[in-house]
Short mmCIF file of all heavy atoms in Angstrom, two decimals:
data_model
loop_
_atom_site.label_atom_id
_atom_site.label_comp_id
_atom_site.label_asym_id
_atom_site.label_seq_id
_atom_site.Cartn_x
_atom_site.Cartn_y
_atom_site.Cartn_z
N MET A 1 -22.75 -150.90 -97.03
CA MET A 1 -23.92 -150.02 -96.95
C MET A 1 -25.09 -150.79 -96.34
O MET A 1 -25.28 -151.97 -96.60
CB MET A 1 -24.30 -149.55 -98.36
CG MET A 1 -25.61 -148.80 -98.41
SD MET A 1 -26.31 -148.70 -100.07
CE MET A 1 -25.41 -147.35 -100.73
N ARG A 2 -25.87 -150.07 -95.53
CA ARG A 2 -27.09 -150.64 -94.97
C ARG A 2 -28.27 -149.76 -95.35
O ARG A 2 -28.12 -148.55 -95.47
CB ARG A 2 -27.00 -150.72 -93.44
CG ARG A 2 -26.05 -151.79 -92.96
CD ARG A 2 -25.86 -151.69 -91.46
NE ARG A 2 -24.88 -152.68 -91.03
CZ ARG A 2 -25.21 -153.86 -90.51
NH1 ARG A 2 -26.47 -154.16 -90.32
NH2 ARG A 2 -24.28 -154.73 -90.16
N ALA A 3 -29.41 -150.37 -95.52
CA ALA A 3 -30.63 -149.61 -95.84
C ALA A 3 -31.70 -149.94 -94.81
O ALA A 3 -31.84 -151.09 -94.38
CB ALA A 3 -31.13 -149.97 -97.24
N LYS A 4 -32.40 -148.89 -94.38
CA LYS A 4 -33.49 -149.09 -93.42
C LYS A 4 -34.72 -148.35 -93.92
O LYS A 4 -34.61 -147.31 -94.57
CB LYS A 4 -33.09 -148.53 -92.05
CG LYS A 4 -32.07 -149.37 -91.34
CD LYS A 4 -31.80 -148.82 -89.96
CE LYS A 4 -30.70 -149.64 -89.28
NZ LYS A 4 -30.22 -149.00 -88.06
N ILE A 5 -35.87 -148.88 -93.58
CA ILE A 5 -37.13 -148.24 -93.96
C ILE A 5 -37.84 -147.74 -92.71
O ILE A 5 -37.99 -148.47 -91.73
CB ILE A 5 -38.03 -149.22 -94.73
CG1 ILE A 5 -37.39 -149.54 -96.09
CG2 ILE A 5 -39.44 -148.63 -94.93
CD1 ILE A 5 -38.13 -150.57 -96.90
N ASP A 6 -38.25 -146.48 -92.76
CA ASP A 6 -39.03 -145.90 -91.67
C ASP A 6 -40.50 -146.24 -91.92
O ASP A 6 -41.13 -145.71 -92.84
CB ASP A 6 -38.81 -144.39 -91.65
CG ASP A 6 -39.53 -143.72 -90.48
OD1 ASP A 6 -40.54 -144.28 -89.99
OD2 ASP A 6 -39.09 -142.63 -90.07
N TYR A 7 -41.05 -147.13 -91.11
CA TYR A 7 -42.41 -147.60 -91.34
C TYR A 7 -43.48 -146.57 -90.99
O TYR A 7 -44.63 -146.73 -91.35
CB TYR A 7 -42.65 -148.92 -90.60
CG TYR A 7 -41.80 -150.01 -91.17
CD1 TYR A 7 -40.72 -150.53 -90.48
CD2 TYR A 7 -42.05 -150.49 -92.45
CE1 TYR A 7 -39.91 -151.50 -91.04
CE2 TYR A 7 -41.25 -151.46 -93.02
CZ TYR A 7 -40.19 -151.96 -92.31
OH TYR A 7 -39.39 -152.90 -92.87
N ASP A 8 -43.07 -145.53 -90.31
CA ASP A 8 -44.03 -144.43 -90.08
C ASP A 8 -44.23 -143.62 -91.36
O ASP A 8 -45.23 -142.93 -91.51
CB ASP A 8 -43.53 -143.51 -88.96
CG ASP A 8 -43.59 -144.19 -87.61
OD1 ASP A 8 -44.43 -145.09 -87.44
OD2 ASP A 8 -42.79 -143.82 -86.73
N LEU A 9 -43.24 -143.71 -92.26
CA LEU A 9 -43.30 -142.91 -93.49
C LEU A 9 -43.68 -143.72 -94.72
O LEU A 9 -44.29 -143.20 -95.64
CB LEU A 9 -41.94 -142.23 -93.73
CG LEU A 9 -41.49 -141.21 -92.69
CD1 LEU A 9 -40.09 -140.69 -93.03
CD2 LEU A 9 -42.46 -140.04 -92.62
N CYS A 10 -43.28 -145.00 -94.76
CA CYS A 10 -43.52 -145.81 -95.96
C CYS A 10 -45.00 -145.86 -96.28
O CYS A 10 -45.83 -146.17 -95.43
CB CYS A 10 -42.99 -147.22 -95.76
SG CYS A 10 -43.34 -148.32 -97.16
N MET A 11 -45.31 -145.56 -97.56
CA MET A 11 -46.72 -145.59 -97.98
C MET A 11 -47.03 -146.79 -98.85
O MET A 11 -48.12 -146.89 -99.42
CB MET A 11 -47.08 -144.29 -98.70
CG MET A 11 -46.24 -144.01 -99.93
SD MET A 11 -46.62 -142.37 -100.60
CE MET A 11 -45.66 -142.39 -102.10
N GLY A 12 -46.06 -147.70 -98.99
CA GLY A 12 -46.33 -148.98 -99.63
C GLY A 12 -46.56 -148.95 -101.12
O GLY A 12 -47.22 -149.83 -101.66
N ASP A 13 -46.00 -147.97 -101.81
CA ASP A 13 -46.23 -147.92 -103.26
C ASP A 13 -45.33 -148.88 -104.05
O ASP A 13 -45.49 -149.04 -105.25
CB ASP A 13 -46.09 -146.49 -103.78
CG ASP A 13 -44.64 -145.98 -103.72
OD1 ASP A 13 -43.78 -146.67 -103.15
OD2 ASP A 13 -44.40 -144.89 -104.25
N GLN A 14 -44.40 -149.48 -103.36
CA GLN A 14 -43.55 -150.55 -103.92
C GLN A 14 -42.55 -150.07 -104.96
O GLN A 14 -41.98 -150.89 -105.70
CB GLN A 14 -44.39 -151.69 -104.49
CG GLN A 14 -45.33 -152.28 -103.47
CD GLN A 14 -46.16 -153.42 -104.02
OE1 GLN A 14 -45.66 -154.29 -104.73
NE2 GLN A 14 -47.44 -153.43 -103.71
N ASN A 15 -42.31 -148.77 -105.06
CA ASN A 15 -41.34 -148.32 -106.06
C ASN A 15 -39.96 -148.91 -105.79
O ASN A 15 -39.27 -149.34 -106.72
CB ASN A 15 -41.26 -146.79 -106.08
CG ASN A 15 -40.39 -146.32 -107.23
OD1 ASN A 15 -40.73 -146.50 -108.40
ND2 ASN A 15 -39.23 -145.76 -106.92
N CYS A 16 -39.56 -148.96 -104.53
CA CYS A 16 -38.24 -149.49 -104.20
C CYS A 16 -38.11 -150.96 -104.64
O CYS A 16 -37.04 -151.39 -105.07
CB CYS A 16 -37.96 -149.36 -102.71
SG CYS A 16 -39.24 -150.06 -101.65
N CYS A 17 -39.20 -151.70 -104.56
CA CYS A 17 -39.18 -153.11 -104.95
C CYS A 17 -38.98 -153.26 -106.46
O CYS A 17 -38.43 -154.26 -106.91
CB CYS A 17 -40.49 -153.79 -104.56
SG CYS A 17 -40.97 -153.50 -102.87
N LYS A 18 -39.43 -152.26 -107.20
CA LYS A 18 -39.23 -152.30 -108.65
C LYS A 18 -37.82 -151.87 -109.00
O LYS A 18 -37.19 -152.43 -109.89
CB LYS A 18 -40.24 -151.37 -109.34
CG LYS A 18 -41.67 -151.86 -109.21
CD LYS A 18 -42.64 -150.84 -109.80
CE LYS A 18 -44.06 -151.21 -109.38
NZ LYS A 18 -44.91 -150.04 -109.19
N VAL A 19 -37.30 -150.88 -108.30
CA VAL A 19 -35.96 -150.37 -108.60
C VAL A 19 -34.89 -151.39 -108.20
O VAL A 19 -33.92 -151.60 -108.92
CB VAL A 19 -35.73 -149.03 -107.87
CG1 VAL A 19 -34.28 -148.56 -108.03
CG2 VAL A 19 -36.68 -147.97 -108.40
N CYS A 20 -35.05 -152.04 -107.06
CA CYS A 20 -34.04 -152.99 -106.59
C CYS A 20 -34.70 -154.16 -105.85
O CYS A 20 -34.67 -154.22 -104.61
CB CYS A 20 -33.02 -152.29 -105.70
SG CYS A 20 -31.56 -153.31 -105.40
N PRO A 21 -35.28 -155.10 -106.60
CA PRO A 21 -35.99 -156.22 -105.96
C PRO A 21 -35.07 -157.16 -105.19
O PRO A 21 -35.54 -157.94 -104.36
CB PRO A 21 -36.64 -156.94 -107.16
CG PRO A 21 -35.89 -156.50 -108.36
CD PRO A 21 -35.37 -155.13 -108.07
N GLU A 22 -33.76 -157.06 -105.45
CA GLU A 22 -32.82 -157.92 -104.71
C GLU A 22 -32.72 -157.48 -103.24
O GLU A 22 -32.32 -158.25 -102.37
CB GLU A 22 -31.42 -157.85 -105.34
CG GLU A 22 -31.35 -158.34 -106.77
CD GLU A 22 -31.57 -157.23 -107.80
OE1 GLU A 22 -32.17 -156.19 -107.44
OE2 GLU A 22 -31.16 -157.43 -108.95
N VAL A 23 -33.08 -156.23 -102.97
CA VAL A 23 -32.93 -155.67 -101.61
C VAL A 23 -34.28 -155.37 -100.95
O VAL A 23 -34.43 -155.56 -99.75
CB VAL A 23 -32.05 -154.39 -101.66
CG1 VAL A 23 -32.06 -153.68 -100.30
CG2 VAL A 23 -30.63 -154.75 -102.07
N PHE A 24 -35.25 -154.91 -101.75
CA PHE A 24 -36.54 -154.51 -101.18
C PHE A 24 -37.65 -155.45 -101.62
O PHE A 24 -37.73 -155.81 -102.79
CB PHE A 24 -36.89 -153.08 -101.61
CG PHE A 24 -35.88 -152.05 -101.22
CD1 PHE A 24 -34.98 -151.54 -102.14
CD2 PHE A 24 -35.82 -151.59 -99.91
CE1 PHE A 24 -34.04 -150.59 -101.78
CE2 PHE A 24 -34.88 -150.64 -99.53
CZ PHE A 24 -33.98 -150.14 -100.47
N GLN A 25 -38.50 -155.81 -100.69
CA GLN A 25 -39.62 -156.70 -101.01
C GLN A 25 -40.87 -156.20 -100.28
O GLN A 25 -40.79 -155.81 -99.11
CB GLN A 25 -39.29 -158.12 -100.56
CG GLN A 25 -40.36 -159.14 -100.94
CD GLN A 25 -39.93 -160.53 -100.52
OE1 GLN A 25 -39.90 -160.85 -99.33
NE2 GLN A 25 -39.56 -161.33 -101.49
N TYR A 26 -41.98 -156.24 -101.00
CA TYR A 26 -43.22 -155.79 -100.36
C TYR A 26 -43.72 -156.84 -99.39
O TYR A 26 -43.70 -158.04 -99.67
CB TYR A 26 -44.29 -155.52 -101.42
CG TYR A 26 -45.52 -154.89 -100.84
CD1 TYR A 26 -45.50 -153.61 -100.33
CD2 TYR A 26 -46.71 -155.60 -100.78
CE1 TYR A 26 -46.63 -153.03 -99.77
CE2 TYR A 26 -47.86 -155.02 -100.24
CZ TYR A 26 -47.79 -153.74 -99.73
OH TYR A 26 -48.91 -153.17 -99.18
N ASP A 27 -44.17 -156.38 -98.24
CA ASP A 27 -44.68 -157.28 -97.20
C ASP A 27 -46.17 -156.96 -97.01
O ASP A 27 -46.53 -155.89 -96.52
CB ASP A 27 -43.91 -157.02 -95.90
CG ASP A 27 -44.32 -158.00 -94.80
OD1 ASP A 27 -45.53 -158.27 -94.66
OD2 ASP A 27 -43.43 -158.47 -94.08
N ASP A 28 -47.02 -157.90 -97.44
CA ASP A 28 -48.47 -157.67 -97.36
C ASP A 28 -48.93 -157.42 -95.92
O ASP A 28 -49.83 -156.62 -95.68
CB ASP A 28 -49.22 -158.88 -97.92
CG ASP A 28 -49.15 -158.93 -99.44
OD1 ASP A 28 -49.39 -157.88 -100.06
OD2 ASP A 28 -48.86 -160.00 -99.98
N ALA A 29 -48.32 -158.13 -94.98
CA ALA A 29 -48.76 -158.01 -93.58
C ALA A 29 -48.46 -156.61 -93.03
O ALA A 29 -49.25 -156.05 -92.27
CB ALA A 29 -48.07 -159.08 -92.73
N LYS A 30 -47.31 -156.07 -93.41
CA LYS A 30 -46.92 -154.74 -92.90
C LYS A 30 -47.54 -153.62 -93.73
O LYS A 30 -47.51 -152.46 -93.33
CB LYS A 30 -45.39 -154.57 -92.96
CG LYS A 30 -44.62 -155.26 -91.86
CD LYS A 30 -43.14 -154.86 -91.98
CE LYS A 30 -42.23 -155.68 -91.12
NZ LYS A 30 -42.20 -155.27 -89.73
N ILE A 31 -48.03 -153.96 -94.93
CA ILE A 31 -48.49 -152.96 -95.90
C ILE A 31 -47.36 -151.96 -96.14
O ILE A 31 -47.56 -150.74 -96.15
CB ILE A 31 -49.79 -152.25 -95.45
CG1 ILE A 31 -50.76 -153.26 -94.85
CG2 ILE A 31 -50.47 -151.56 -96.63
CD1 ILE A 31 -52.01 -152.62 -94.26
N ALA A 32 -46.18 -152.49 -96.29
CA ALA A 32 -44.98 -151.68 -96.48
C ALA A 32 -43.90 -152.58 -97.06
O ALA A 32 -44.07 -153.80 -97.13
CB ALA A 32 -44.52 -151.11 -95.14
N SER A 33 -42.82 -151.98 -97.48
CA SER A 33 -41.70 -152.77 -97.99
C SER A 33 -40.72 -153.06 -96.88
O SER A 33 -40.61 -152.29 -95.92
CB SER A 33 -41.00 -152.02 -99.13
OG SER A 33 -41.86 -151.94 -100.24
N ILE A 34 -40.00 -154.17 -97.03
CA ILE A 34 -38.98 -154.54 -96.05
C ILE A 34 -37.63 -154.67 -96.75
O ILE A 34 -37.57 -154.82 -97.97
CB ILE A 34 -39.33 -155.87 -95.35
CG1 ILE A 34 -39.48 -157.00 -96.38
CG2 ILE A 34 -40.60 -155.73 -94.53
CD1 ILE A 34 -39.58 -158.38 -95.76
N VAL A 35 -36.58 -154.61 -95.97
CA VAL A 35 -35.22 -154.77 -96.49
C VAL A 35 -34.80 -156.22 -96.28
O VAL A 35 -34.89 -156.74 -95.16
CB VAL A 35 -34.24 -153.81 -95.77
CG1 VAL A 35 -32.82 -154.01 -96.28
CG2 VAL A 35 -34.68 -152.37 -95.98
N LEU A 36 -34.35 -156.85 -97.36
CA LEU A 36 -34.06 -158.29 -97.31
C LEU A 36 -32.65 -158.62 -96.83
O LEU A 36 -32.38 -159.74 -96.44
CB LEU A 36 -34.24 -158.90 -98.70
CG LEU A 36 -35.66 -158.83 -99.29
CD1 LEU A 36 -35.63 -159.29 -100.74
CD2 LEU A 36 -36.61 -159.69 -98.48
N VAL A 37 -31.76 -157.65 -96.87
CA VAL A 37 -30.35 -157.94 -96.57
C VAL A 37 -29.84 -157.03 -95.45
O VAL A 37 -30.28 -155.89 -95.31
CB VAL A 37 -29.46 -157.76 -97.83
CG1 VAL A 37 -29.88 -158.75 -98.91
CG2 VAL A 37 -29.52 -156.34 -98.34
N ASP A 38 -28.91 -157.54 -94.66
CA ASP A 38 -28.25 -156.70 -93.65
C ASP A 38 -27.28 -155.73 -94.32
O ASP A 38 -27.26 -154.54 -94.02
CB ASP A 38 -27.47 -157.57 -92.66
CG ASP A 38 -28.39 -158.14 -91.59
OD1 ASP A 38 -29.50 -157.60 -91.41
OD2 ASP A 38 -28.01 -159.14 -90.97
N GLU A 39 -26.48 -156.29 -95.19
CA GLU A 39 -25.45 -155.52 -95.88
C GLU A 39 -25.76 -155.53 -97.37
O GLU A 39 -25.92 -156.60 -97.96
CB GLU A 39 -24.08 -156.15 -95.61
CG GLU A 39 -22.89 -155.28 -95.89
CD GLU A 39 -22.71 -154.13 -94.91
OE1 GLU A 39 -23.00 -154.32 -93.70
OE2 GLU A 39 -22.30 -153.06 -95.36
N VAL A 40 -25.88 -154.34 -97.96
CA VAL A 40 -26.18 -154.25 -99.39
C VAL A 40 -24.93 -154.61 -100.19
O VAL A 40 -23.87 -154.01 -99.98
CB VAL A 40 -26.63 -152.81 -99.76
CG1 VAL A 40 -26.82 -152.69 -101.26
CG2 VAL A 40 -27.91 -152.44 -99.00
N PRO A 41 -25.03 -155.60 -101.10
CA PRO A 41 -23.87 -155.94 -101.93
C PRO A 41 -23.42 -154.73 -102.75
O PRO A 41 -24.25 -153.93 -103.20
CB PRO A 41 -24.42 -157.05 -102.85
CG PRO A 41 -25.58 -157.62 -102.12
CD PRO A 41 -26.19 -156.46 -101.36
N ALA A 42 -22.12 -154.60 -102.93
CA ALA A 42 -21.55 -153.42 -103.59
C ALA A 42 -22.18 -153.16 -104.95
O ALA A 42 -22.44 -152.00 -105.31
CB ALA A 42 -20.04 -153.59 -103.74
N GLN A 43 -22.46 -154.21 -105.69
CA GLN A 43 -22.99 -154.01 -107.05
C GLN A 43 -24.43 -153.49 -107.05
O GLN A 43 -24.95 -153.10 -108.09
CB GLN A 43 -22.88 -155.30 -107.88
CG GLN A 43 -23.82 -156.41 -107.46
CD GLN A 43 -23.22 -157.32 -106.40
OE1 GLN A 43 -22.30 -156.94 -105.68
NE2 GLN A 43 -23.73 -158.54 -106.32
N LEU A 44 -25.09 -153.50 -105.89
CA LEU A 44 -26.47 -153.02 -105.81
C LEU A 44 -26.57 -151.65 -105.15
O LEU A 44 -27.66 -151.07 -105.07
CB LEU A 44 -27.33 -154.02 -105.03
CG LEU A 44 -27.45 -155.42 -105.64
CD1 LEU A 44 -28.25 -156.33 -104.70
CD2 LEU A 44 -28.11 -155.37 -107.01
N GLU A 45 -25.45 -151.09 -104.73
CA GLU A 45 -25.50 -149.84 -103.96
C GLU A 45 -26.11 -148.69 -104.76
O GLU A 45 -26.89 -147.91 -104.23
CB GLU A 45 -24.10 -149.46 -103.46
CG GLU A 45 -23.63 -150.36 -102.34
CD GLU A 45 -22.29 -149.91 -101.77
OE1 GLU A 45 -21.70 -148.94 -102.30
OE2 GLU A 45 -21.84 -150.54 -100.80
N ASP A 46 -25.76 -148.60 -106.06
CA ASP A 46 -26.28 -147.50 -106.87
C ASP A 46 -27.80 -147.57 -106.96
O ASP A 46 -28.49 -146.55 -106.88
CB ASP A 46 -25.68 -147.51 -108.28
CG ASP A 46 -24.26 -146.97 -108.29
OD1 ASP A 46 -23.84 -146.40 -107.26
OD2 ASP A 46 -23.58 -147.13 -109.32
N ARG A 47 -28.34 -148.78 -107.13
CA ARG A 47 -29.79 -148.90 -107.26
C ARG A 47 -30.49 -148.67 -105.92
O ARG A 47 -31.62 -148.18 -105.88
CB ARG A 47 -30.16 -150.25 -107.87
CG ARG A 47 -30.01 -150.20 -109.40
CD ARG A 47 -30.78 -151.29 -110.07
NE ARG A 47 -30.04 -152.54 -109.96
CZ ARG A 47 -30.59 -153.70 -109.64
NH1 ARG A 47 -31.87 -153.78 -109.41
NH2 ARG A 47 -29.86 -154.79 -109.56
N VAL A 48 -29.84 -149.01 -104.82
CA VAL A 48 -30.42 -148.72 -103.51
C VAL A 48 -30.45 -147.21 -103.27
O VAL A 48 -31.44 -146.66 -102.79
CB VAL A 48 -29.64 -149.44 -102.39
CG1 VAL A 48 -30.04 -148.92 -101.02
CG2 VAL A 48 -29.90 -150.95 -102.48
N ARG A 49 -29.37 -146.52 -103.69
CA ARG A 49 -29.37 -145.05 -103.58
C ARG A 49 -30.48 -144.46 -104.45
O ARG A 49 -31.17 -143.53 -104.05
CB ARG A 49 -28.02 -144.48 -104.02
CG ARG A 49 -26.95 -144.61 -102.97
CD ARG A 49 -25.73 -143.76 -103.30
NE ARG A 49 -24.59 -144.24 -102.53
CZ ARG A 49 -23.71 -145.12 -102.97
NH1 ARG A 49 -23.79 -145.60 -104.19
NH2 ARG A 49 -22.73 -145.53 -102.20
N GLN A 50 -30.64 -145.00 -105.64
CA GLN A 50 -31.71 -144.53 -106.54
C GLN A 50 -33.07 -144.73 -105.89
O GLN A 50 -33.93 -143.85 -105.91
CB GLN A 50 -31.64 -145.29 -107.87
CG GLN A 50 -32.72 -144.85 -108.86
CD GLN A 50 -32.77 -145.74 -110.10
OE1 GLN A 50 -31.83 -146.47 -110.39
NE2 GLN A 50 -33.88 -145.68 -110.82
N ALA A 51 -33.28 -145.91 -105.30
CA ALA A 51 -34.57 -146.19 -104.64
C ALA A 51 -34.81 -145.19 -103.52
O ALA A 51 -35.93 -144.70 -103.34
CB ALA A 51 -34.58 -147.62 -104.10
N ALA A 52 -33.76 -144.87 -102.76
CA ALA A 52 -33.90 -143.92 -101.66
C ALA A 52 -34.25 -142.53 -102.19
O ALA A 52 -35.09 -141.83 -101.63
CB ALA A 52 -32.62 -143.88 -100.84
N GLU A 53 -33.59 -142.14 -103.30
CA GLU A 53 -33.86 -140.81 -103.87
C GLU A 53 -35.29 -140.73 -104.42
O GLU A 53 -35.94 -139.70 -104.35
CB GLU A 53 -32.86 -140.51 -104.99
CG GLU A 53 -31.48 -140.16 -104.46
CD GLU A 53 -30.43 -140.12 -105.57
OE1 GLU A 53 -30.80 -140.13 -106.76
OE2 GLU A 53 -29.23 -140.10 -105.22
N GLU A 54 -35.77 -141.84 -104.99
CA GLU A 54 -37.10 -141.83 -105.60
C GLU A 54 -38.22 -142.04 -104.59
O GLU A 54 -39.39 -141.85 -104.93
CB GLU A 54 -37.18 -142.93 -106.67
CG GLU A 54 -36.33 -142.63 -107.89
CD GLU A 54 -36.47 -143.70 -108.96
OE1 GLU A 54 -37.32 -144.61 -108.82
OE2 GLU A 54 -35.72 -143.63 -109.95
N CYS A 55 -37.90 -142.46 -103.40
CA CYS A 55 -38.94 -142.74 -102.40
C CYS A 55 -39.60 -141.42 -102.00
O CYS A 55 -38.98 -140.58 -101.33
CB CYS A 55 -38.32 -143.43 -101.19
SG CYS A 55 -39.52 -143.70 -99.86
N ALA A 56 -40.84 -141.25 -102.44
CA ALA A 56 -41.52 -139.95 -102.28
C ALA A 56 -41.57 -139.44 -100.84
O ALA A 56 -41.30 -138.27 -100.59
CB ALA A 56 -42.91 -140.03 -102.89
N PRO A 57 -41.90 -140.30 -99.86
CA PRO A 57 -41.96 -139.79 -98.49
C PRO A 57 -40.59 -139.79 -97.79
O PRO A 57 -40.50 -139.42 -96.62
CB PRO A 57 -42.91 -140.77 -97.80
CG PRO A 57 -42.76 -142.04 -98.55
CD PRO A 57 -42.46 -141.65 -99.97
N GLY A 58 -39.52 -140.22 -98.50
CA GLY A 58 -38.21 -140.23 -97.87
C GLY A 58 -38.09 -141.26 -96.76
O GLY A 58 -37.43 -141.04 -95.75
N ALA A 59 -38.69 -142.43 -97.00
CA ALA A 59 -38.73 -143.46 -95.95
C ALA A 59 -37.48 -144.34 -95.92
O ALA A 59 -37.28 -145.07 -94.95
CB ALA A 59 -39.96 -144.34 -96.14
N ILE A 60 -36.67 -144.28 -96.97
CA ILE A 60 -35.48 -145.15 -97.03
C ILE A 60 -34.26 -144.38 -96.55
O ILE A 60 -33.90 -143.35 -97.11
CB ILE A 60 -35.25 -145.67 -98.45
CG1 ILE A 60 -36.46 -146.46 -98.93
CG2 ILE A 60 -33.98 -146.53 -98.51
CD1 ILE A 60 -36.40 -146.88 -100.40
N ASN A 61 -33.65 -144.89 -95.50
CA ASN A 61 -32.41 -144.30 -94.99
C ASN A 61 -31.25 -145.20 -95.35
O ASN A 61 -31.29 -146.41 -95.13
CB ASN A 61 -32.49 -144.16 -93.46
CG ASN A 61 -33.54 -143.16 -93.05
OD1 ASN A 61 -33.53 -142.03 -93.50
ND2 ASN A 61 -34.46 -143.59 -92.22
N VAL A 62 -30.22 -144.59 -95.93
CA VAL A 62 -29.04 -145.34 -96.36
C VAL A 62 -27.87 -144.92 -95.49
O VAL A 62 -27.61 -143.73 -95.30
CB VAL A 62 -28.74 -145.04 -97.85
CG1 VAL A 62 -27.43 -145.67 -98.26
CG2 VAL A 62 -29.89 -145.55 -98.72
N GLU A 63 -27.18 -145.92 -94.93
CA GLU A 63 -26.00 -145.65 -94.11
C GLU A 63 -24.79 -146.26 -94.78
O GLU A 63 -24.83 -147.42 -95.18
CB GLU A 63 -26.17 -146.28 -92.72
CG GLU A 63 -27.34 -145.72 -91.95
CD GLU A 63 -27.67 -146.57 -90.73
OE1 GLU A 63 -26.97 -147.55 -90.45
OE2 GLU A 63 -28.69 -146.26 -90.08
N ALA A 64 -23.73 -145.49 -94.89
CA ALA A 64 -22.52 -145.96 -95.56
C ALA A 64 -21.89 -147.11 -94.78
O ALA A 64 -22.07 -147.20 -93.58
CB ALA A 64 -21.52 -144.84 -95.70
S1 LIG B 101 -40.47 -146.52 -102.26
FE1 LIG B 101 -40.58 -145.72 -100.16
S2 LIG B 101 -42.75 -145.45 -99.74
FE2 LIG B 101 -42.57 -146.78 -101.53
S3 LIG B 101 -42.66 -148.85 -100.69
FE3 LIG B 101 -40.49 -148.28 -100.86
S4 LIG B 101 -39.96 -147.43 -98.83
FE4 LIG B 101 -42.18 -147.46 -98.98
#
């Protein structure tokens, strides 16, 4: 699984960083969150899906 953030949509509330800090990290320079890994480890996939579902502006795209 891969996760991408649409920076036109991300509003920087950092919810994804709280749900799955192993994958998402807030970047002060971008005023947005970034994805730390190319490939999401299998054991983190459920939390990445949760982060995507909870992302209010729908900025997180998950690809199988
Ligand atoms: S939850 Fe969505 S809007 Fe909030 S920081 Fe993460 S990607 Fe951006």
Side-chain angles (χ1 to χ4, degrees):
M1 172 198 278
R2 287 172 184 262
K4 288 184 183 169
I5 292 176
D6 184 334
Y7 294 109
D8 290 333
L9 296 176
C10 176
M11 59 186 186
D13 69 352
Q14 303 180 44
N15 187 66
C16 53
C17 310
K18 293 174 192 147
V19 173
C20 193
E22 298 91 339
V23 171
F24 301 102
Q25 184 177 71
Y26 187 68
D27 184 318
D28 285 313
K30 282 187 191 280
I31 318 175
S33 292
I34 58 170
V35 178
L36 297 172
V37 298
D38 278 341
E39 197 70 36
V40 175
Q43 71 271 22
L44 298 176
E45 288 185 356
D46 283 349
R47 279 199 282 136
V48 168
R49 282 193 199 94
Q50 180 188 342
E53 285 169 13
E54 291 182 6
C55 176
I60 301 173
N61 294 306
V62 173
E63 298 167 3

